[in-house]
């Protein structure tokens, strides 16, 4: 009986892996930093025929109806858009916003550190991470490095694929009962990773582990590892901006292959779905489109968005202004008036991961708002304006999901729990755009490895495609947008 049951289970329970989820794994494994994410996304846009714009140049005469475009700022924020072939000045913008950054450990400007025979790397906590999840993981570094190339300075991206760092736990025998129960992490003292031994015995590199480079801010061994990967001399490295990251790749798991765990799901999943939705829209629907479809992937959401490339910067509003100006004015009006006309016809979906109900902590959710993995994209509401959803924007999301044949869920935080926030209220306040906050449900948000349902990735992409394709048609039927 048991042998028969086991064979039956093998044949019928194991499901094929979702192709979208597999493609997403490829994407997120290649995007260990915001710089890599923008670069990988730009490669996909290039392949799909999008034209790269330069913010320092005029867009007049370049941006035209029927075109596909993108630009990047700081290498960590990306804005891409398509212009419908039937666009006329003053028409709507339908936009999706997401963010490229995640809670991480970042290498300090002066990272050289050693203690008791160990070489370490000084790191700073970025954002609100679940820092205990960074212990006992095989870690590496990724980011951008500025290199001297024959007297000129070039930015290159680096991602060391092998494990080079680790933050070890303190063994149980050296902790008191109170320390074990609390597992309280001192972020300055306890999160500094080990790179090597000062003796150099653990490294195969020719340079001694404690050799000082010309730049004494960082240990020579770290610069040697970077230089070897980049194919340059360590002395040519002028500066760096690096994050620590997990070396374990994204993994699809579960008895039915229904889950996906990876670093940075918050919020690279929506960077992926928005890029894929915009590419699909540009491939097939521009001929009859009367508006602009746009995605904006911002840096620095996890630390408040107040930066030159964050959602609190002018970049999003400026993008709409510049596209409007490049496409011309409504006859008899000014450029400023045309922009304001367009803005009041437009809408934003702010896409950031949502809180799925946790089977071991179900009391943390309101009884009527319990999103489940693989249950569909979540509409997030908070009347205290931590989310920007209102009755109108919520209706538009729900109806567009229905028209796409996609399930969706609802989330409101309990009255006795704090509520996170997103870029939605920030952009809504800066632009006046009607906004709905949405997101794929997830577990372990802000852990080094988070979890979501594989079906929710394609679900979210299809809803975003529906938004780009059907927003104007639905708006025409709605009195009082």
């Amino acid at each position: 009986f048991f042998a028969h049951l086991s064979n039956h289970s093998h044949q019928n329970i194991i499901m094929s892996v979702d192709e979208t989820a597999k493609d997403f794994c490829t994407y997120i494994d290649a995007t260990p930093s915001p710089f890599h994410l923008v670069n990988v996304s730009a490669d996909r846009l290039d392949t799909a025929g999008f034209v790269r714009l330069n913010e320092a140049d005029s867009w007049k005469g370049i941006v035209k109806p029927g075109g596909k475009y993108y630009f990047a700022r700081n290498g960590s924020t990306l804005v891409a858009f398509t212009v419908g072939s039937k666009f006329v000045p003053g028409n709507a913008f339908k936009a999706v916003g997401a963010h490229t950054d995640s809670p991480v450990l970042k290498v300090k400007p002066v990272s050289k550190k050693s203690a008791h025979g160990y070489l370490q790397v000084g790191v700073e906590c970025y954002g609100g991470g679940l820092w205990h999840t960074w212990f006992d993981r095989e870690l590496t570094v990724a980011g951008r490095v500025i290199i001297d190339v024959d007297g000129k300075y070039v930015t290159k991206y680096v991602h060391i694929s092998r494990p080079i760092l680790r933050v070890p736990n303190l063994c149980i025998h050296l902790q008191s009962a109170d320390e074990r129960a609390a597992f309280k992490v001192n972020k300055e003292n306890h999160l500094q990773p080990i790179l090597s031994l000062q003796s150099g015995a653990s490294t195969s590199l020719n340079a001694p582990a404690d050799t000082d480079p010309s730049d004494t801010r960082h240990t020579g061994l770290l610069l040697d590892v970077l230089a070897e990967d980049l194919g340059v001399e360590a002395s040519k490295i002028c500066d760096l901006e690096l994050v620590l990251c997990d070396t374990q790749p994204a993994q699809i798991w579960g008895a039915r292959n229904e889950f996906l765990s990876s670093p940075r799901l918050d919020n690279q999943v929506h960077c992926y779905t928005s890029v894929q939705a915009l590419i699909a829209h540009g491939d097939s629907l521009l001929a009859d489109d009367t508006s602009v479809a746009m995605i904006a992937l911002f840096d620095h959401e996890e630390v408040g968005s107040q930066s030159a490339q964050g959602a609190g910067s002018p970049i999003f509003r400026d993008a709409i202004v510049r596209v409007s100006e490049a496409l011309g004015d409504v006859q008899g009006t000014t450029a400023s008036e045309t922009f304001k006309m367009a803005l009041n016809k437009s809408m934003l979906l702010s896409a950031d991961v949502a809180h799925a109900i946790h089977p071991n902590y179900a009391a943390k959710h309101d009884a009527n708002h319990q999103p489940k993995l693989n249950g569909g994209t979540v509409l997030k509401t908070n009347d205290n304006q931590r989310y920007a959803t209102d009755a109108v924007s919520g209706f538009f999301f729900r109806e567009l999901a229905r028209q796409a044949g996609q399930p969706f869920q609802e989330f409101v935080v309990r009255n006795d729990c704090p509520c996170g926030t997103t870029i939605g209220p920030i952009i809504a306040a800066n632009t006046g755009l009607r906004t709905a906050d949405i997101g794929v449900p997830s577990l372990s948000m802000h852990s080094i490895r988070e979890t979501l349902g594989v079906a929710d990735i394609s679900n979210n992409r299809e809803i975003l495609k529906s938004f780009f394709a059907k927003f104007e048609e639905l708006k025409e039927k709605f009195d009082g947008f």
Side-chain angles (χ1 to χ4, degrees):
F1 170 79
F2 290 106
H4 173 72
L5 177 61
S6 175
N7 182 58
H8 177 81
S9 300
H10 178 73
Q11 290 179 356
N12 296 295
I13 292 180
I14 297 177
M15 299 171 65
S16 62
V17 176
D18 182 280
E19 291 300 319
T20 299
K22 288 197 291 187
D23 184 56
F24 174 60
C25 287
T26 300
Y27 177 89
I28 203 167
D29 287 345
T31 55
S33 75
F35 307 114
H36 288 84
L37 183 139
V38 168
N39 195 51
V40 168
S41 299
D43 285 345
R44 291 190 174 216
L45 294 169
D46 286 336
T47 300
F50 282 68
V51 175
R52 182 160 192 155
L53 301 172
N54 189 329
E55 282 194 277
D57 296 338
S58 172
W59 297 354
K60 197 77 172 177
I62 299 175
V63 174
K64 300 176 181 178
K68 304 185 287 188
Y69 310 92
Y70 74 94
F71 68 91
R73 180 179 291 185
N74 187 52
S76 61
T77 288
L78 178 74
V79 177
F81 59 94
T82 62
V83 183
S85 297
K86 295 182 178 179
F87 178 88
V88 295
N91 278 11
F93 285 70
K94 45 205 177 184
V96 176
H99 65 88
T100 63
D101 62 322
S102 304
V104 291
L105 300 175
K106 301 189 78 168
V107 175
K108 289 182 175 180
V110 180
S111 71
K112 187 175 182 180
K113 187 179 180 68
S114 63
H116 305 287
Y118 293 102
L119 280 177
Q120 295 178 276
V121 176
V123 296
E124 178 182 9
C125 296
Y126 174 89
L130 290 174
W131 301 119
H132 65 276
T133 64
W134 286 73
F135 284 78
D136 296 331
R137 306 289 306 184
E138 285 69 49
L139 305 173
T140 188
V141 292
R144 64 179 173 184
V145 179
I146 299 173
I147 298 171
D148 181 345
V149 180
D150 299 326
K152 295 186 180 296
Y153 301 101
V154 177
T155 297
K156 290 192 175 184
Y157 297 149
V158 65
H159 178 199
I160 306 301
S161 58
R162 66 185 179 90
I164 62 170
L165 297 165
R166 189 178 178 92
V167 182
N169 258 305
L170 179 64
C171 71
I172 191 171
H173 310 89
L174 299 182
Q175 299 181 58
S176 68
D178 289 343
E179 287 174 328
R180 290 196 299 272
F183 193 64
K184 186 176 181 181
V185 177
N186 183 299
K187 292 186 286 187
E188 180 61 28
N189 297 334
H190 299 156
L191 283 171
Q192 308 307 311
I194 293 172
L195 174 67
S196 185
L197 295 172
Q198 284 184 290
S199 67
S202 65
T203 178
S204 61
L205 293 177
N206 293 328
D210 52 1
T211 295
D212 284 339
S214 55
D215 185 349
T216 57
R217 296 175 300 159
H218 308 287
T219 184
L221 183 55
L222 176 62
L223 296 182
D224 285 339
V225 170
L226 296 172
E228 182 181 61
D229 190 79
L230 292 165
V232 301
E233 296 294 325
S235 61
K236 296 297 184 180
I237 296 176
C238 302
D239 221 323
L240 49 83
E241 186 173 353
L242 302 176
V243 299
L244 272 61
C245 48
D246 192 7
T247 55
Q248 183 179 347
Q251 184 65 57
I252 294 170
W253 61 279
R256 295 179 173 87
N257 288 322
E258 64 264 60
F259 306 118
L260 188 154
S261 294
S262 173
R264 304 177 302 280
L265 294 178
D266 178 10
N267 189 32
Q268 291 191 4
V269 63
H270 292 110
C271 295
Y272 171 81
T273 56
S274 60
V275 167
Q276 295 304 113
L278 186 66
I279 288 173
H281 184 74
D283 281 346
S284 59
L285 296 175
L286 289 191
D288 294 320
D289 196 358
T290 61
S291 61
V292 174
M294 178 178 284
I295 63 171
L297 315 180
F298 301 97
D299 198 0
H300 295 151
E301 188 273 347
E302 296 292 355
V303 292
S305 297
Q306 299 302 310
S307 70
Q309 52 271 7
S313 75
I315 186 170
F316 183 73
R317 186 184 183 95
D318 286 353
I320 297 177
V321 169
R322 295 192 67 178
V323 173
S324 294
E325 291 178 345
L327 293 169
D329 306 333
V330 174
Q331 189 172 2
T333 69
T334 64
S336 175
E337 189 74 5
T338 299
F339 161 70
K340 291 172 183 175
M341 291 168 64
L343 207 60
N344 280 279
K345 301 173 185 175
S346 302
M347 183 171 168
L348 170 74
L349 293 181
S350 167
D352 203 347
V353 289
H355 300 293
I357 190 166
H358 193 304
N360 301 336
Y361 301 91
K364 293 293 184 179
H365 275 68
D366 177 86
N368 292 325
H369 301 88
Q370 299 185 343
K372 296 176 174 58
L373 299 186
N374 290 319
T377 299
V378 178
L379 177 64
K380 301 185 281 187
T381 304
N382 181 266
D383 287 332
N384 293 297
Q385 298 305 299
R386 302 293 285 174
Y387 304 133
T389 307
D390 61 17
V392 176
S393 63
F395 163 77
F396 268 74
F397 169 79
R398 295 183 188 98
E399 186 58 29
L400 290 166
R402 290 186 192 105
Q403 291 186 20
Q406 296 296 326
F408 59 89
Q409 306 179 83
E410 307 268 354
F411 177 75
V412 174
V413 74
R414 286 172 55 100
N415 288 315
D416 56 359
C417 285
C419 183
T421 191
T422 69
I423 61 173
I426 295 171
I427 296 176
N430 285 347
T431 64
L433 270 181
R434 192 177 291 283
T435 301
D437 270 296
I438 67 168
V440 168
S442 70
L443 294 172
S444 306
M445 190 185 297
H446 289 197
S447 169
I448 193 172
R449 292 185 70 82
E450 301 159 319
T451 295
L452 50 74
V454 296
D456 291 327
I457 305 172
S458 55
N459 164 273
N460 185 257
R461 181 199 60 210
E462 293 305 305
I463 291 174
L464 298 186
K465 286 167 61 177
S466 177
F467 174 56
F468 289 146
K470 299 178 180 179
F471 170 69
E472 297 94 329
E473 180 184 346
L474 179 59
K475 184 159 64 70
E476 298 235 347
K477 298 177 181 178
F478 189 85
D479 182 18
F481 182 81

